[in-house]
Amino acid sequence: MPIDDRKQKIMMAIVSLYANGGEPVGSNLLSHYFNLSVSSATLRNEMAALTKLGMLEQPHTSAGRVPTPKGYRYYVDHLLDRPATLPLEQKQKIDGIVNALDYDPEKLARGAAVQLADLLGYAMVATTPLAKDLYIAHYEVIQVGRYSAAVLAVTVAGGVLTRVAKVDFELDANDAQRLAATLNAHLRFVAEADVSSQLIRSMVDSLAEAGPRCWPILSAALTLLAEAGKPSVYFEGQQYLLQWPELENGMRHLLQLVADREQMEALLQPNTEGTLVIFGDELQEQPIPGLCIVSRHYHAGGGLKGVIAALGPTRMRFSEVIPTIEYFSELMGKAVSAAGSDARPPR
């Protein structure tokens, strides 16, 4: 049975009404939605047809209809207007939010997750930018005690990573400068995969007899290089998940999903450039009925990509959430690109 224009309009109306009210949509409510231009009897017939197609379901015999996972997938893929635009007032509000954030990638990602959660009323996940080879553009070594030093690494995305190391001899400013020069000579714009035993030995030998004693500081720099290739994942607004009864049964699996860093990275870093909508029933390893994830990349230049995603119920307000995430991701990409513009590898 084909889904004609009237059925599509009814499907769109039911998705909208169910998202706003959370109650099954009956023919009387639907008739008022269409300003009584379609009779209740006609609407009941069309809703019955959509139910046979698997687009709608009736929770109780006397209740109205709600969209099924198949119905939501059809709505997102065929009925949702793309690209949707935000009102100017909403754009200006988001502009103000992003302008007030710290542009360090770590703080930007966490701040974005917090602000978007409060703005949309859904849980949010945001990751720092990642590329296959996220280089460190510059190292600094700063003496923080007689026997300790902080190693600072600035990534090409503009992020700053730090790690403190302790040694068994008294450090001075000259030692710190020499160590920084060594790190920049051997590890600057080097991918983790290219760190070989020969490179490490060369780095230690360049410090002559002080090399073995400085190993804790060199090791700290190597750890930062390894960490630079792993995105940070921030999960904020968990309290909003408690507002949706349909997520109660799957809450344990949802929290396990978010806690599994590798699974979340794979889920949120798809091979797509558009906005991705995933429903919990479609998850391969552990389906979570009632869940919806809307995610989108933000581009930080130089092949660097981060992700922001909203986690909520399948009756998410798609026409608001999707353009908000798309506009926010555009601004985040510009912010990170600006922060990291001075930290690009030489051509």
Side-chain angles (χ1 to χ4, degrees):
M1 183 182 297
I3 300 181
D4 56 34
D5 184 62
R6 184 160 64 184
K7 289 185 179 65
Q8 290 185 351
K9 289 179 180 178
I10 290 173
M11 191 70 202
M12 293 172 66
I14 291 176
V15 168
S16 176
L17 290 169
Y18 185 54
N20 292 328
E23 296 291 336
V25 179
S27 57
N28 289 334
L29 176 60
L30 205 54
S31 179
H32 283 87
Y33 180 88
F34 288 111
N35 293 320
L36 305 178
S37 60
V38 183
S39 70
S40 294
T42 299
L43 291 172
R44 283 195 294 271
N45 290 334
E46 295 287 25
M47 291 164 73
L50 286 168
T51 301
K52 288 183 179 180
L53 289 172
M55 300 292 180
L56 300 176
E57 62 183 352
Q58 193 171 20
H60 307 288
T61 304
S62 59
R65 262 69 166 192
V66 300
T68 63
K70 179 181 178 181
Y72 275 118
R73 174 51 62 195
Y74 182 83
Y75 170 80
V76 168
D77 290 347
H78 301 286
L79 305 181
L80 189 61
D81 290 336
R82 301 282 187 87
T85 57
L86 287 175
L88 178 60
E89 181 180 350
Q90 187 74 349
K91 284 188 174 183
Q92 291 174 338
K93 184 175 182 179
I94 295 174
D95 289 341
I97 290 173
V98 175
N99 289 337
L101 294 176
D102 191 312
Y103 284 8
D104 172 83
E106 299 277 342
K107 295 178 181 178
L108 181 65
R110 184 179 185 279
V114 170
Q115 294 295 330
L116 273 171
D118 291 339
L119 181 66
L120 293 173
Y122 299 112
M124 297 297 305
V125 172
T127 73
T128 51
L130 177 68
K132 291 183 178 179
D133 295 319
L134 183 58
Y135 300 106
I136 289 178
H138 184 71
Y139 290 90
E140 284 287 345
V141 178
I142 301 174
Q143 183 182 359
V144 295
R146 292 175 63 186
Y147 299 96
S148 58
V151 181
L152 280 69
V154 182
T155 71
V156 294
V160 179
L161 307 175
T162 62
R163 196 173 184 88
V164 175
K166 292 186 177 181
V167 293
D168 60 2
F169 65 95
E170 290 192 31
L171 288 164
D172 59 30
N174 290 331
D175 293 327
Q177 291 180 4
R178 186 181 179 193
L179 282 162
T182 298
L183 294 176
N184 284 307
H186 291 84
L187 299 180
R188 188 169 176 260
F189 297 122
V190 172
E192 181 188 10
D194 295 329
V195 176
S196 62
S197 57
Q198 182 179 356
L199 185 150
I200 294 174
R201 188 163 50 250
S202 174
M203 185 167 56
V204 173
D205 291 345
S206 70
L207 294 170
E209 68 280 357
R213 301 181 68 187
C214 292
W215 173 247
I217 295 175
L218 303 179
S219 179
L222 290 169
T223 300
L224 293 180
L225 178 58
E227 291 177 352
K230 300 175 182 178
S232 297
V233 180
Y234 295 98
F235 179 36
E236 302 291 341
Q238 297 93 324
Q239 69 274 17
Y240 293 112
L241 294 173
L242 303 177
Q243 296 180 356
W244 312 106
E246 54 265 58
L247 293 176
E248 288 181 2
N249 293 334
M251 187 62 68
R252 181 170 64 88
H253 294 307
L254 173 56
L255 295 178
Q256 289 175 342
L257 171 66
V258 176
D260 188 332
R261 178 170 173 167
E262 291 186 2
Q263 191 175 354
M264 280 301 292
E265 287 178 20
L267 184 63
L268 296 178
Q269 306 250 16
N271 295 320
T272 178
E273 291 305 316
T275 301
L276 184 68
V277 179
I278 302 174
F279 294 107
D281 299 80
E282 300 169 343
L283 298 176
Q284 297 296 319
E285 294 192 17
Q286 178 60 62
I288 306 176
L291 174 68
C292 179
I293 302 174
V294 177
S295 65
R296 187 175 180 87
H297 285 126
Y298 65 91
H299 295 266
L304 300 170
K305 295 180 183 178
V307 174
I308 53 177
L311 282 70
T314 50
R315 57 186 176 98
M316 191 177 282
R317 304 184 308 275
F318 295 104
S319 58
E320 175 189 353
V321 172
I322 290 178
T324 297
I325 286 180
E326 289 177 347
Y327 187 63
F328 211 103
S329 67
E330 178 186 346
L331 297 184
M332 280 186 69
K334 292 178 180 178
V336 178
S337 297
S341 60
D342 295 329
R344 299 298 178 194
R347 297 294 182 182

